[in-house]
Amino acid sequence: MEEDRMGSIGSLPSPTKIAGKWTKMQAIVNGQIRVNHGFWHYWGSILKTRTVKHQYEQIRDTGRLDNFKLAAQGAHSGYRGLVFNDSDVYKWLEAASWLLASHPDEHLMQLVDETIDLVRQAQQEDGYLNTFYTLTNPNGRWSRLERDHELYCAGHLIQAAVAHHRVTGKRTLLDVACRFADLICDTFGPSEEGKRPGTDGHPEIEMALVELARETGNQRYLRQAQYFLNARGYGLAGGDPYRQDHVPFRQLDAMVGHAVRAVYLAAGAADIYAETGDPTLMETLLRLWHDMTTTKLYVTGGIGARYEGESFGNPYELPNARAYAETCAAVGLIFWAWRMLLITGESQYADILELALYNGALAGIGLDGTSYFYVNPLADDGTHRRQPWFECACCPPNIARLLASLPGYCYSISPGTIWVNLYISNEANLTLPDGLTIRLQQSTDYPWGEGVEFTLKTEGEYTLACRIPQWCTTGAAIQVNGMHVDDAEPGKYAKIRRQWRVGDRLTLSFPMPPRRLIAHPFVSEDRGCTAITRGPLIYCLEGADHPGIDLRTIQLPRTAVLHEESAPAELGGIVAIRTLGISTPLDPQWNNQLYRYEEQIVEPAQCKEIPLRFIPYFAWANRTPGQMTVWVRESSSPNVP
């Protein structure tokens, strides 16, 4: 029975091949992992007890579900919200489905089933499904592809359907998605085939159709994804960088335009490469990745420098207080990095995935699990606060579906090898492509603690390939049963192959001293500044820890010693960093003056020594409103005696 697929770890679904012919790794089925302790167990509990329930209430109370009810009743009026509100329902369904894999819950399953039934009833006889057009302009479907997100919404429907099918085995939503996908395939294509040329102004459909091809085995969906990618750059979706339609994809040499659309398109192209091996796609993807990571990536893993068009800026244009860094953009970057990791097997992509996950994306949801950031600045005056929802609510369900699916990112597989990508306490039951089933347990306090231990529960000869994070530049160590076995090179996978016995223990150690990070000299806002890091986490100063002090007056001496401080009862349990800094109060003569001649400054303002406390960036804005900054001015002077 379908319900049996939600049982214990020993009765999980058989693995689906979630990768392409041209990948070095395969993804695993999300339900093969049970997160059971530590940092991500906390977030899984928050998702189950608060986030998914809260988001369901929001899509219900804001009329998103009512739109489907009205469409099912044959109405042609009464639509509420923005044109793409359907997508928020689909992303909620995806998040809830992934969550059911690790947190089976009868009430949540009932809500999922009821929502799917609403979606099914709203579908038109020919397979079309978009409540905005059904309720407002039933004869105008496909008339404004460049702006109305019809294919974007379809993509989120398909992704939700694939997640639901993989977790539950039920076809209720998958059949809906296939009917709509078949209509899309019948409708769009070259005019010489009697079809309608076109592609969506917001990429998303490309990723979804490839996943649908993998789930169903129907290669028609893969070919349609190729068509939509290849149709870009010819003015069919607006003809501008904002919509990723200014030049054909293979001619792109830089990440430009709307950041979310850019990384969604890149992720879709990576999926297509994974299935086809088209070298021109990989050449473009590598070119774009290099441009982004070397000139346009925030230290937090955020992307998108400008409010104007929610877009990338010029190289090294990375403002702090005016950073856009949309939560969806960090989520999209993770999607792209994950696909590049599967394709290449190179640790650099997992390093960026981890950076964006722990910092740029996780900051997008409050510790209460029910408040959200749309944009994620790196400095603030205290006015930027999380909200319970947005009119344009793309970010809340996006971060929810990412975190709910996170167990599936922990490992990937290839013949004879388990690749450890993320360090998360869990029990795993993994079946490799060559048929070997391996059970293991991972125990760690990462990202707070430096130790990771694997206990093997399956005998046999196989390889554990453990990622050595790029940030761990010295001191990483690997032992098996207490014996040193390998040197650990940062930014690589350490591959330990042996005849494993039940009870064998593999331990990793990643020293996490607090460290300083400086930016490229061309990043003008960060020149002369430093950022504090520890392990995979970026830290910040927040006004709540420094009452009465303007954070803009603070300098961090180069000689300041950084000390760790465990705070298990604060902000969900964190490791903070303490040190001594310098505060230089503003000279009163600056009152009512914006500029002064240098010779008018008789003597420097008196500075004083103050205690500083840095907290993880993801945890800011969960206390009393106040200033925040990631980058702190660095002083060459020693601490004040």
Side-chain angles (χ1 to χ4, degrees):
M1 294 177 63
E2 290 169 338
E3 289 74 10
D4 292 337
R5 299 171 71 92
M6 300 301 301
S8 67
I9 200 165
S11 61
L12 291 167
S14 299
T16 302
K17 184 174 182 293
I18 314 173
K21 301 175 183 177
W22 295 84
T23 60
K24 292 188 176 180
M25 302 173 175
Q26 292 181 21
I28 62 171
V29 173
N30 201 26
Q32 293 178 281
I33 307 296
R34 289 282 189 262
V35 177
N36 55 16
H37 176 72
F39 186 86
W40 290 113
H41 183 261
Y42 166 86
W43 279 105
S45 298
I46 291 292
L47 283 171
K48 177 183 178 181
T49 60
R50 300 180 186 175
T51 305
V52 170
K53 176 183 177 182
H54 170 260
Q55 292 190 4
Y56 178 82
E57 292 169 350
Q58 292 292 332
I59 63 174
R60 180 195 64 199
D61 296 345
T62 57
R64 285 163 168 83
L65 294 182
D66 286 340
N67 290 337
F68 285 92
K69 293 178 182 177
L70 290 170
Q73 294 166 4
H76 296 300
S77 63
Y79 184 86
R80 291 173 61 186
L82 302 176
V83 295
F84 45 83
N85 273 10
D86 286 6
S87 66
D88 300 327
V89 176
Y90 300 145
K91 281 186 280 188
W92 179 84
L93 277 170
E94 183 180 351
S97 295
W98 290 132
L99 190 61
L100 285 169
S102 53
H103 295 81
D105 182 272
E106 290 185 7
H107 178 64
L108 180 58
M109 179 67 85
Q110 180 181 351
L111 289 181
V112 167
D113 288 342
E114 290 174 355
T115 304
I116 289 173
D117 196 48
L118 275 181
V119 171
R120 181 186 60 79
Q121 292 180 54
Q123 188 168 34
Q124 305 296 291
E125 289 187 8
D126 63 354
Y128 183 79
L129 183 52
N130 185 285
T131 67
F132 174 77
Y133 273 95
T134 298
L135 295 178
T136 67
N137 188 9
N139 296 320
R141 61 169 71 171
W142 316 129
S143 58
R144 297 197 300 181
L145 282 178
E146 75 283 359
R147 59 177 294 177
D148 282 354
H149 293 66
E150 284 173 276
L151 295 173
Y152 167 87
C153 289
H156 281 300
L157 165 65
I158 292 168
Q159 288 179 320
V162 169
H164 182 255
H165 184 251
R166 284 181 181 163
V167 170
T168 70
K170 298 178 181 179
R171 292 192 58 94
T172 46
L173 192 58
L174 188 67
D175 287 340
V176 172
C178 287
R179 287 185 62 209
F180 196 9
D182 288 339
L183 175 66
I184 290 168
C185 292
D186 290 340
T187 302
F188 292 100
S191 55
E192 57 267 26
E193 295 181 8
K195 297 184 179 182
R196 175 178 186 150
T199 193
D200 201 279
H202 197 309
E204 162 67 25
I205 189 67
E206 298 85 357
M207 280 188 286
L209 285 170
V210 176
E211 285 297 329
L212 190 60
R214 291 169 178 163
E215 194 68 10
T216 64
N218 189 340
Q219 296 304 297
R220 184 189 194 196
Y221 304 136
L222 171 61
R223 292 191 295 272
Q224 191 65 34
Q226 291 176 280
Y227 168 77
F228 283 135
L229 177 69
N230 294 335
R232 292 190 175 277
Y234 300 97
L236 295 174
D240 53 31
Y242 176 78
R243 297 175 176 85
Q244 302 297 307
D245 191 39
H246 53 301
V247 296
F249 180 79
R250 292 168 179 81
Q251 295 179 24
L252 290 171
D253 57 11
M255 295 294 279
V256 298
H258 191 280
V260 179
R261 300 177 197 226
V263 288
Y264 274 23
L265 182 61
D271 273 331
I272 294 170
Y273 171 82
E275 297 296 334
T276 66
D278 181 345
T280 63
L281 290 180
M282 182 51 66
E283 290 166 6
T284 304
L285 289 166
L286 293 174
R287 195 163 59 240
L288 296 177
W289 183 269
H290 179 78
D291 173 70
M292 180 187 67
T293 57
T294 61
T295 69
K296 297 173 182 175
L297 181 69
Y298 279 101
V299 70
T300 58
I303 52 173
R306 297 179 179 176
Y307 272 67
E308 180 185 6
E310 303 179 336
S311 64
F312 287 100
N314 294 324
Y316 308 108
E317 181 188 341
L318 294 167
N320 293 318
R322 291 293 295 171
Y324 201 74
E326 183 182 342
T327 299
C328 282
V331 172
L333 171 56
I334 290 168
F335 291 162
W336 183 20
W338 173 241
R339 287 156 173 79
M340 296 296 285
L341 174 64
L342 293 178
I343 289 168
T344 66
E346 294 181 10
S347 181
Q348 62 167 309
Y349 300 106
D351 287 326
I352 296 296
L353 187 158
E354 181 181 68
L355 174 70
L357 172 65
Y358 278 97
N359 302 285
L362 192 57
I365 182 170
L367 296 177
D368 58 8
T370 60
S371 58
Y372 311 94
F373 275 152
Y374 195 102
V375 300
N376 295 273
L378 280 73
D380 185 59
D381 62 5
T383 58
H384 187 58
R385 309 300 293 177
R386 292 185 180 84
Q387 303 299 317
W389 199 247
F390 305 97
E391 180 184 19
C392 175
C394 52
C395 294
N398 221 7
I399 189 68
R401 69 175 179 142
L402 169 69
L403 298 184
S405 67
L406 188 61
Y409 290 73
C410 186
Y411 304 103
S412 49
I413 56 177
S414 62
T417 301
I418 295 173
W419 302 79
V420 185
N421 307 314
L422 296 175
Y423 294 105
I424 300 173
S425 286
N426 68 81
E427 293 184 4
N429 188 22
L430 307 173
T431 300
L432 305 188
D434 49 12
L436 179 63
T437 297
I438 299 171
R439 296 183 66 238
L440 57 84
Q441 178 176 317
Q442 180 183 164
S443 301
T444 181
D445 287 325
Y446 194 98
W448 311 124
E450 64 183 40
V452 183
E453 182 176 87
F454 294 89
T455 302
L456 282 303
K457 299 183 178 181
T458 300
E459 291 189 0
E461 184 177 355
Y462 49 90
T463 299
L464 285 180
C466 300
R467 180 177 67 91
I468 310 301
Q470 181 64 50
W471 56 259
C472 190
T473 54
T474 58
I478 306 173
Q479 294 184 337
V480 173
N481 297 330
M483 300 292 292
H484 175 78
V485 296
D486 197 7
D487 293 325
E489 183 179 354
K492 302 286 185 181
Y493 280 90
K495 301 174 183 177
I496 302 94
R497 186 172 185 86
R498 59 184 281 129
Q499 183 72 33
W500 298 96
R501 298 177 181 274
V502 174
D504 279 352
R505 297 181 184 274
L506 182 149
T507 58
L508 307 172
S509 178
F510 302 129
M512 295 182 179
R515 302 172 68 186
R516 301 167 185 245
L517 201 63
I518 60 173
H520 190 285
F522 291 172
V523 183
S524 59
E525 282 212 14
D526 302 334
R527 196 175 298 137
C529 295
T530 187
I532 302 302
T533 73
R534 182 181 180 273
L537 298 176
I538 304 299
Y539 279 69
C540 67
L541 293 176
E542 194 173 20
D545 295 310
H546 306 88
I549 298 174
D550 190 322
L551 299 187
R552 293 172 295 184
T553 70
I554 291 176
Q555 297 182 60
L556 183 65
R558 292 180 182 174
T559 56
V561 179
L562 305 174
H563 301 280
E564 298 175 12
E565 174 194 70
S566 179
E570 187 177 0
L571 297 172
I574 63 168
V575 172
I577 297 171
R578 285 194 178 272
T579 189
L580 293 176
I582 297 172
S583 176
T584 306
L586 191 66
D587 186 339
Q589 295 181 68
W590 279 110
N591 288 343
N592 302 314
Q593 293 192 65
L594 186 59
Y595 306 101
R596 292 166 66 189
Y597 289 104
E598 190 174 52
E599 59 266 25
Q600 290 179 302
I601 302 175
V602 178
E603 61 182 38
Q606 183 64 41
C607 59
K608 62 179 180 179
E609 187 178 64
I610 60 170
L612 299 181
R613 187 173 190 258
F614 292 82
I615 65 166
Y617 172 76
F618 77 79
W620 82 279
N622 285 284
R623 299 177 292 178
T624 303
Q627 290 177 303
M628 181 277 294
T629 186
V630 169
W631 292 97
V632 181
R633 286 187 299 148
E634 194 170 51
S635 170
S636 58
S637 301
N639 285 2
V640 177

